[in-house]
């Protein structure tokens, strides 16, 4: 009996991780200028949450050319401003202890235009029938990534360009 | 009792001995033959399904974007300068006279206008993934109006100058110089306004 237990303990495999992938989601930025407010939306975010041993690692990414403000000329200029040619994808990485529902603050590292900046995000996590819904707002600033603000008639857009994030995660098969 | 303990100890020792004899080698073989399991912290963009091509930097593309932005910025500034010069040209016009200021400003307006057009026409195209906004379409469409006007207006002006010098009354194209001039200013100003109202 003791030997059986010992053999099982020595040769048992580690517990499998829980994996969650983005099923659908939107990222919406709002740029404010004296003459006009601009809204751009991406419906193509991708993400993964990998939970193991009371720790969850998160990676969410989106291609800069997936943002649409209903003006292709302006969107092309946005890509130039964000240096999308050299860094086509913006990444958000975070660690969290669990996927417990409710509100909480969590640090996240945003990587854009070759630079990284840490934000403290207010996360809202809700349980859905087949996964989780995560919403937050990223207080993104152009100056955090040393980006030149576009301007018109000598007036630049506001440095703060908040991004609303809504992501639906579903279980990911290994 | 003692025999039982000795028997269990010997069995355990045998099992441990077998493990120590076989595990290191088999572990090394496993490491050599199979890929290392990813750590939880090493989430990668490829885990999200992005291809190497999608992740890879494209400096040529960035250079094209930078060129486009610079040229259109210059086009924007020159466009506003052109509207200013054309307005000043219109304000300095006089009936049956060709004031020096009007002529000078007219020439400057022409140079400024065609410089503005150059920076727009030579800028790389926008990515055609999305569609042009209504104001961009209208801005581009107005070029079919003000471009021919900006060719006809200077011709009308030069013709009018010669007729005035000869003491003739204005006729032909010169007769419509004022109308052509005002239409030119208004169409260029309208094109510029469209890009300010909804940029």
């Amino acid at each position: 009996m003791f030997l059986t237990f010992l053999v099982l303990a020595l040769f048992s495999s580690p517990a499998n991780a829980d994996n969650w992938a983005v099923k659908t989601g939107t990222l919406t930025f709002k740029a404010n200028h004296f003459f006009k407010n601009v809204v751009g939306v991406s419906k193509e975010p991708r993400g993964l949450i990998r939970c193991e041993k009371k720790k969850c690692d998160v990676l969410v990414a989106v291609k800069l050319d997936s943002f649409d403000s209903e003006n292709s000329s302006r969107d092309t200029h946005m890509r130039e401003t964000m240096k999308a040619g050299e860094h086509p994808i913006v990444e958000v990485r975070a660690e969290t202890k669990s996927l417990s529902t409710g509100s909480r603050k969590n640090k996240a590292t945003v990587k854009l235009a070759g630079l990284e900046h840490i934000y403290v995000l207010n996360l809202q996590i809700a349980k859905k029938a087949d996964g989780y819904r995560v919403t937050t707002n990223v207080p993104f600033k152009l100056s955090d990534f040393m980006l030149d603000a576009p301007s018109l008639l000598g007036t630049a857009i506001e440095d703060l360009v908040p991004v609303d994030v809504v992501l639906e995660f579903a279980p990911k098969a290994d | 009792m003692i025999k039982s303990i000795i028997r269990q100890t010997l069995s355990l020792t045998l099992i441990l001995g077998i493990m120590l004899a076989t595990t290191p080698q088999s572990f090394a073989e496993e490491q050599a033959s199979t890929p290392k399991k990813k750590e939880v912290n090493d989430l990668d963009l490829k885990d999200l399904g992005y291809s190497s091509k999608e992740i890879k930097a494209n400096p040529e593309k960035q250079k094209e974007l930078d060129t486009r932005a610079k040229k259109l910025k210059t086009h924007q500034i020159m466009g506003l300068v052109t509207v200013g010069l054309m307005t000043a040209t219109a304000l300095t016009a006089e009936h049956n006279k060709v004031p020096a200021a009007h002529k000078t400003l007219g020439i400057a307006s022409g140079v400024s206008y065609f410089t503005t057009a150059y920076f727009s026409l030579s800028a790389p195209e926008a990515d055609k993934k999305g569609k042009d906004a209504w104001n961009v379409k209208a801005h581009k469409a107005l070029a079919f109006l003000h471009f021919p006007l900006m060719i006809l207006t200077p011709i009308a002006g030069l013709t009018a100058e010669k007729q005035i010098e000869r003491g003739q009354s204005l006729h032909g194209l010169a007769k419509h110089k004022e109308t052509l001039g005002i239409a030119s200013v208004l169409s260029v100003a309208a094109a510029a306004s469209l890009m300010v109202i909804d940029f």
Side-chain angles (χ1 to χ4, degrees):
Chain A
M1 181 66 184
F2 170 74
L3 289 175
T4 307
F5 169 77
L6 188 63
V7 168
L8 286 171
L10 286 169
F11 290 101
S12 64
S13 57
N16 288 329
D18 285 329
N19 290 346
W20 305 86
V22 169
K23 193 170 84 172
T24 60
T26 56
L27 273 71
T28 307
F29 73 79
K30 291 169 189 171
N32 298 318
H33 185 272
F34 180 78
F35 289 111
K36 184 173 175 64
N37 297 330
V38 174
V39 175
V41 181
S42 170
K43 295 180 184 175
E44 299 173 22
R46 298 187 194 182
L48 194 59
I49 300 177
R50 191 170 284 171
C51 295
E52 192 174 77
K53 293 178 186 174
K54 294 186 181 179
K55 186 170 80 78
C56 294
D57 283 311
V58 183
L59 172 60
V60 175
V62 65
K63 289 175 75 174
L64 284 167
D65 67 3
S66 68
F67 281 92
D68 181 10
S69 70
E70 298 185 347
N71 184 328
S72 63
S73 185
R74 180 170 57 213
D75 292 340
T76 305
H77 188 205
M78 182 277 282
R79 288 196 282 282
E80 183 271 331
T81 302
M82 299 292 163
K83 301 180 186 173
E86 288 168 338
H87 308 279
I89 296 175
V90 60
E91 303 172 32
V92 181
R93 292 177 184 270
E95 279 184 11
T96 184
K97 286 183 182 171
S98 69
L99 290 178
S100 55
T101 57
S103 310
R104 65 165 177 273
K105 289 185 191 287
N106 212 99
K107 278 187 192 174
T109 303
V110 175
K111 187 175 177 184
L112 170 71
L115 295 177
E116 293 185 354
H117 189 86
I118 296 174
Y119 293 96
V120 177
L121 305 179
N122 290 316
L123 295 178
Q124 308 284 332
I125 301 177
K127 190 81 173 75
K128 308 295 278 186
D130 60 344
Y132 292 92
R133 181 183 170 94
V134 179
T135 56
T136 188
N137 176 277
V138 182
F140 167 76
K141 283 187 178 178
L142 295 167
S143 56
D144 290 340
F145 299 90
M146 297 172 67
L147 298 171
D148 295 326
S151 64
L152 179 69
L153 298 178
T155 309
I157 65 168
E158 286 181 16
D159 188 35
L160 177 65
V161 182
V163 181
D164 290 324
V165 180
V166 179
L167 301 169
E168 306 258 353
F169 286 88
K172 179 181 186 289
D174 281 333
Chain B
M1 173 81 172
I2 295 172
K3 280 184 182 175
S4 173
I5 292 170
I6 292 169
R7 202 178 297 123
Q8 283 194 13
T9 306
L10 284 172
S11 300
L12 181 61
T13 307
L14 181 64
I15 288 169
L16 285 173
I18 292 169
M19 279 177 61
L20 285 169
T22 58
T23 301
Q25 187 180 0
S26 62
F27 178 76
E29 280 175 356
E30 186 186 340
Q31 286 293 91
S33 64
T34 60
K36 191 176 179 179
K37 187 183 174 185
K38 282 182 187 172
E39 296 296 326
V40 172
N41 290 335
D42 289 342
L43 289 175
D44 190 80
L45 289 175
K46 289 185 179 174
D47 296 329
L48 303 183
Y50 289 113
S51 65
S52 300
K53 191 181 173 186
E54 288 175 303
I55 298 168
K56 194 179 166 186
N58 189 342
E60 284 300 315
K61 180 69 183 173
Q62 186 59 44
K63 196 176 170 185
E64 188 183 286
L65 288 170
D66 289 339
T67 301
R68 183 175 187 276
K70 280 178 189 163
K71 287 199 168 184
L72 289 183
K73 188 73 185 175
T74 307
H75 171 76
Q76 187 189 103
I77 295 167
M78 288 303 302
L80 295 170
V81 168
T82 301
V83 171
L85 285 169
M86 290 175 74
T87 304
T89 305
L91 291 173
T92 52
E94 288 184 33
H95 258 307
N96 293 325
K97 282 183 187 175
V98 186
H102 178 76
K103 189 174 178 179
T104 305
L105 286 166
I107 293 169
S109 298
V111 171
S112 180
Y113 175 86
F114 287 103
T115 305
T116 304
Y118 163 76
F119 281 104
S120 172
L121 295 170
S122 64
E125 284 284 322
D127 290 340
K128 286 300 175 187
K129 195 177 178 182
K131 53 183 180 181
D132 273 344
W134 69 269
N135 64 310
V136 175
K137 287 181 188 171
H139 178 83
K140 289 179 179 177
L142 274 172
F144 290 99
L145 176 61
H146 58 65
F147 193 82
L149 282 171
M150 286 302 290
I151 292 173
L152 289 173
T153 303
I155 294 172
L158 285 168
T159 309
E161 186 182 23
K162 283 181 183 169
Q163 289 174 4
I164 290 168
E165 281 173 359
R166 289 183 202 139
Q168 296 169 346
S169 58
L170 297 179
H171 58 276
L173 190 64
K175 193 176 171 184
H176 304 284
K177 173 184 157 313
E178 190 175 330
T179 307
L180 289 169
I182 292 169
S184 299
V185 176
L186 291 177
S187 57
V188 172
S193 302
L194 283 167
M195 298 309 286
V196 172
I197 292 165
D198 188 1
F199 73 97

